[in-house]
Amino acid sequence: MSSPWHFGNTTVRNPMRIRDGLTVLKDPTLNGNLIGKSQEGLLAYELDKAGVINLGQTAPDFMGRKWRSCFSQLGFITNKFKRNLKPGETDPTIAKAIEGNPELGLTGKAYELTPSGLRLVEAITVKEQQECMLRALLAYEIPSIIEPKNGEESFNPFIFILQVLKRLGTLKKPLGLSKVEMGIVQSYREHSKVNEVINEIIKFRQLRDKAIGRVAKRKVDRDLIDQLASSVALKSTSIKDYSDVNFRYPRLTGLVSHKGKRLVISDVMAPVVDTILAEGPKINGIENSKNYLIRLWEGAELPTDNELTARQEINRFRSLLVEYGVEKSIIPIIPDTNDVARLNQVRLRLEVLYQQTLEKKFAIEQTKEEQVKEIIAYLKKLDKQPFDEEAYDIDIEDEPAYLEWGVWRAFLAINHLVNEPHVARRFKVDQDFFPIGCAPGGGPDMIFEFEDYVLVVEVTLTTSSRQEAAEGEPVRRHVAKEKVKVAAASGKPVYGLFMARSIDNNTAETFRIGVWYTGDEPDFINIVPITLKQFISMMEKYQMVRFDNKEFRRILDSCLIPRNAHAPAWKAEIQKVVDNFVT
C-alpha cells in the first residue's frame, strides 16, 4: 500500500462550498492576485464575509492558502510554478502551457480563474454544477506537475473509485463502499490494483461480520484505520479525514449516490459511468504536463460531448419521464440540430425535470413512519438532544443546511402542499435529496403553500442578542414581501414561522410587534417564534397522531392570540400552547 491520497485538502472538506468560494475569487482584486500573505488573508476575510467559511481564530493567510491550493489542484484556477514569482508577473510555465491556446482566455498569471472555474461560477442548477465537478475530477491526476511526487506513476483517483464501485456492485452482496472502506481504496495508486482493493475489502467485511454488536463492529473499524495509519506513519485521525474528503467529492459529480451510509454508482447515471470506464483513464503524466494543464483548466471531455451520446441520453431520460407518468406535452423534445451544446441544454432540462419527478416521490415517502422517526432523529441531533444512535447513525456535514433540510422534510411529512416540493425549498439538494448548502440570501428559507394559507419558514442556529440583529429585519421583510405577492395571486393569509434552538427576548419582541413599513405605510405581519425543541415535540405528536396543516395553522393562531404581552410572557404563552397540543 502507498501513502494515502485525497481530493483537494481536508480544510476544504465540503466541496459544496467550492462554487461559492470561486464566486468570491472572481473579484478583480483577488482573481490572478493571490501572491503574498496580505492577499491570502484578504481571500480568507472575503470568504468569511460571504459566509463560505467561519474564520474564527484561524490565521487568515493560512486559510487563504488552503482554499487557494484546493482551487488550483482541481484546475479551477491556475497554479504558481515559479518559486519567487512576484505579484502581476507572468509565470513561465503557465505562459508555455497556454501558448497556442488563446481560447482559454488566460493571461499567464498565477491563481487566475480558468475556463473550468468560470464555468462552475456560472453554473446555476445543481446538474450544471455537478457536470463542472465531474469534468474537474475526470481531469485530475496525482502526482502531477502541480502535485509532484518522485518515483510514482500518475493515476486518476476518481476513475479508480468508480472502478472499485463497479466491481463492488458485482459481488454477491453489492453493499457499496463505506467510509471506513474508503481508507483501503485511498491507499492504492494503480488502476491495475482494483482486484487487490476488492479482496482487502472482502477480508475486512468478513472480519466485521464475525463481530457481534455495534461496539464490537466499531472496534473492527478502528483497528483497520489504526493499521492503515501505522503502515504509513500517519495519525488515525488523518486517515479518517482523508476518507471523509474522498467520500464527499465524488458525490458532487452526480454519478455517485448515497445508499444508507455507503457510496454506490447512481442507478440513473450508470450508463454514463459505463461509458467512462470503457474509455478508461486518460493519463497525461508528468512527461505530458502541458497537455495535463490544458485538460485540467478546460475540464475533461464527457461522453455527452459526443452528439450521438447526447441524443441517446435525451431519449433515455424522455423514456424515464414517460414511465413515471409525466405528461408528454411538458417533456422537451430532441431539437433538430447537430449542435452538441444545444442538445446538452435539452438533456440537462430533462435531467432536472426527472429529478423533480423523483422529488415528488421523495416528498410522499416522508409521510411514512420510518421517515418521520428519522426526521425527528436529525432534528434532535441538531438540537443537541439525545436520540437513538443505535438506530440512526447520523452524519451531519453542515448544521445550518441540515436544519433547513430537516424542517423541510418535516413539512413534507405533514403533507398536502399546493406548491411543488422543489419550489417549497430555496436551498439546493443533490441527487439523493441531501442539502447542498443553505438557502441563499434575499428570501426566506422555505415557503409552504397549503390550501388555506401560506407559511414562510425561517430557521437559524444563531442565538443570544446577535439573533435579533441577524434575523429580525430579514425575516420580517421576507414575510412582508411574500404577503404582498400572495395577496396579488390568491389572497391567502400568510404566516411566518421562525425557529431556533433558543429564542432571544429581543427577537421575540421584534416579531411580537410584527410591523413592517413600506414607506410610511405599516403592514402588520404574523410571525410565530418557536424553539427547535418545541417543534420536535410537535413532530413527536405527529408521529403518534397524524395532524394536518390545518391543525398546524390553529397552533399558529393560538400562539398569536397572547402576543399583546411582552416578549418573555409571550414566549411563556407559546410554550403553554405547545404543551397543551402535545399532551
Side-chain angles (χ1 to χ4, degrees):
M1 293 185 182
S2 306
S3 59
W5 48 264
H6 58 83
F7 299 107
N9 58 61
T10 55
T11 299
V12 191
R13 188 169 301 196
N14 187 350
M16 300 171 187
R17 296 187 180 276
I18 289 177
R19 177 181 176 272
D20 294 333
L22 290 171
T23 301
V24 169
L25 182 59
K26 193 176 179 182
D27 189 297
T29 61
L30 294 170
N31 186 18
N33 186 22
L34 287 179
I35 296 175
K37 278 191 174 184
S38 63
Q39 288 302 106
E40 293 162 353
L42 179 60
L43 173 60
Y45 284 127
E46 292 300 321
L47 290 171
D48 183 78
K49 187 191 300 183
V52 179
I53 63 172
N54 181 9
L55 188 56
Q57 300 301 312
T58 307
D61 58 308
F62 169 83
M63 185 66 75
R65 283 194 298 276
K66 286 292 186 179
W67 278 79
R68 184 185 66 189
S69 173
C70 175
F71 294 158
S72 65
Q73 287 170 8
L74 297 176
F76 296 127
I77 63 175
T78 55
N79 193 52
K80 181 173 80 71
F81 299 97
K82 184 180 176 182
R83 180 179 293 275
N84 296 317
L85 191 71
K86 297 177 181 178
E89 185 181 356
T90 298
D91 189 297
T93 302
I94 300 174
K96 185 177 179 181
I98 65 176
E99 187 178 353
N101 294 278
E103 71 281 358
L104 295 175
L106 296 172
T107 64
K109 291 181 182 178
Y111 309 131
E112 181 180 20
L113 276 164
T114 63
S116 179
L118 288 169
R119 188 187 302 117
L120 182 54
V121 169
E122 293 163 2
I124 303 301
T125 68
V126 172
K127 287 294 181 183
E128 290 172 327
Q129 293 171 28
Q130 287 175 336
E131 285 208 356
C132 292
M133 184 58 72
L134 177 57
R135 290 182 188 275
L137 294 192
L138 284 175
Y140 179 61
E141 298 174 18
I142 47 177
S144 70
I145 186 174
I146 294 175
E147 300 175 83
K149 192 174 181 69
N150 294 330
E152 287 191 1
E153 294 292 326
S154 297
F155 95 120
N156 183 298
F158 177 63
I159 295 280
F160 192 61
I161 288 175
L162 291 182
Q163 290 172 324
V164 170
L165 291 177
K166 182 70 176 179
R167 281 282 289 111
L168 287 175
T170 65
L171 299 181
K172 191 173 183 181
K173 290 183 179 180
L175 298 176
L177 187 69
S178 74
K179 195 172 288 188
V180 174
E181 292 165 353
M182 181 65 81
I184 298 172
V185 177
Q186 69 197 24
S187 299
Y188 286 83
R189 291 172 175 259
E190 297 178 50
H191 290 279
S192 61
K193 301 287 188 180
V194 171
N195 287 336
E196 288 187 30
V197 172
I198 299 300
N199 289 336
E200 291 288 337
I201 291 173
I202 291 172
K203 288 178 186 177
F204 166 71
R205 289 180 179 179
Q206 290 171 342
L207 189 62
R208 199 174 191 274
D209 288 343
K210 291 177 183 177
I212 307 300
R214 189 168 180 177
V215 173
K217 291 183 184 296
R218 282 183 169 177
K219 184 180 183 305
V220 175
D221 293 344
R222 287 196 304 272
D223 288 346
L224 173 63
I225 296 297
D226 291 344
Q227 175 189 337
L228 292 170
S230 63
S231 68
V232 290
L234 285 174
K235 294 180 179 179
S236 297
T237 52
S238 296
I239 300 297
K240 291 170 71 174
D241 287 344
Y242 294 174
S243 294
D244 185 48
V245 168
N246 291 332
F247 219 69
R248 296 187 189 204
Y249 277 67
R251 283 182 57 207
L252 205 57
T253 65
L255 300 190
V256 177
S257 288
H258 248 176
K259 191 172 185 179
K261 302 291 290 185
R262 294 174 176 270
L263 287 186
V264 297
I265 290 173
S266 168
D267 289 338
V268 71
M269 299 306 294
V272 176
V273 173
D274 288 342
T275 302
I276 289 171
L277 292 181
E279 293 176 353
K282 298 178 180 179
I283 305 298
N284 286 286
I286 301 293
E287 63 277 9
N288 293 314
S289 58
K290 177 175 179 175
N291 291 344
Y292 174 66
L293 291 176
I294 296 301
R295 187 168 187 250
L296 185 70
W297 294 339
E298 282 187 324
E301 61 283 357
L302 301 181
T304 47
D305 291 340
N306 174 275
E307 180 187 347
L308 177 61
T309 305
R311 288 182 178 277
Q312 289 173 341
E313 285 297 286
I314 288 173
N315 281 321
R316 187 166 70 87
F317 275 96
R318 282 178 53 82
S319 298
L320 287 170
L321 287 165
V322 170
E323 287 177 20
Y324 265 91
V326 177
E327 292 183 22
K328 290 185 178 180
S329 60
I330 66 172
I331 301 176
I333 62 173
I334 303 178
D336 184 18
T337 179
N338 58 2
D339 183 348
V340 176
R342 175 78 180 97
L343 290 170
N344 278 317
Q345 286 179 340
V346 174
R347 175 184 58 80
L348 285 170
R349 285 169 55 199
L350 285 164
E351 289 189 23
V352 170
L353 182 58
Y354 179 70
Q355 183 74 0
Q356 291 172 355
T357 303
L358 294 182
E359 190 166 343
K360 293 177 185 178
K361 180 182 176 183
F362 174 82
I364 293 170
E365 288 174 349
Q366 302 315 295
T367 63
K368 296 179 180 178
E369 183 176 357
E370 186 53 42
Q371 294 298 318
V372 175
K373 289 180 179 178
E374 184 183 85
I375 291 166
I376 293 170
Y378 268 99
L379 293 176
K380 282 188 171 181
K381 178 156 187 176
L382 287 161
D383 199 37
K384 313 300 182 186
Q385 295 185 35
F387 65 97
D388 188 353
E389 295 188 46
E390 286 292 323
Y392 302 99
D393 185 13
I394 292 174
D395 182 21
I396 292 179
E397 302 169 356
D398 183 339
E399 281 196 342
Y402 271 74
L403 178 57
E404 294 178 7
W405 175 75
V407 172
W408 172 65
R409 288 182 64 192
F411 280 102
L412 294 182
I414 293 172
N415 210 351
H416 300 296
L417 285 176
V418 172
N419 55 346
E420 300 284 1
H422 73 274
V423 176
R425 58 173 173 79
R426 292 188 66 250
F427 58 89
K428 292 181 170 66
V429 296
D430 66 12
Q431 64 275 15
D432 303 310
F433 306 108
F434 285 101
I436 301 179
C438 297
D445 298 331
M446 290 155 274
I447 303 173
F448 300 100
E449 182 178 356
F450 300 109
E451 183 181 355
D452 300 323
Y453 70 106
V454 173
L455 182 64
V456 176
V457 180
E458 300 268 15
V459 300
T460 185
L461 294 174
T462 307
T463 56
S464 72
S465 59
R466 289 180 57 250
Q467 188 182 80
E468 198 281 331
E471 306 291 344
E473 186 274 335
V475 172
R476 286 182 295 131
R477 174 164 42 86
H478 297 160
V479 175
K481 283 183 66 176
E482 192 62 24
K483 184 178 176 182
V484 172
K485 179 180 173 183
V486 172
S490 65
K492 295 178 182 179
V494 175
Y495 295 81
L497 181 67
F498 178 78
M499 197 182 308
R501 285 179 183 149
S502 63
I503 305 296
D504 181 72
N505 284 332
N506 294 291
T507 307
E509 183 68 10
T510 296
F511 297 150
R512 183 189 73 80
I513 297 169
V515 176
W516 177 260
Y517 279 90
T518 303
D520 293 331
E521 292 299 316
D523 186 12
F524 293 92
I525 51 181
N526 294 320
I527 302 174
V528 177
I530 66 171
T531 65
L532 184 51
K533 183 177 181 180
Q534 290 167 338
F535 185 69
I536 291 169
S537 295
M538 286 189 274
M539 289 307 298
E540 288 177 324
K541 170 73 176 286
Y542 177 78
Q543 185 183 334
M544 296 181 290
V545 181
R546 295 302 179 96
F547 59 85
D548 60 17
N549 63 81
K550 293 182 179 180
E551 184 68 27
F552 194 83
R553 180 184 177 183
R554 283 191 282 271
I555 298 170
L556 296 173
D557 286 332
S558 298
C559 290
L560 289 166
I561 290 171
R563 69 193 286 185
N564 288 332
H566 289 303
W570 186 36
K571 286 166 57 179
E573 291 299 318
I574 290 173
Q575 183 63 59
K576 289 179 184 177
V577 172
V578 174
D579 290 342
N580 290 334
F581 176 72
V582 301
T583 54

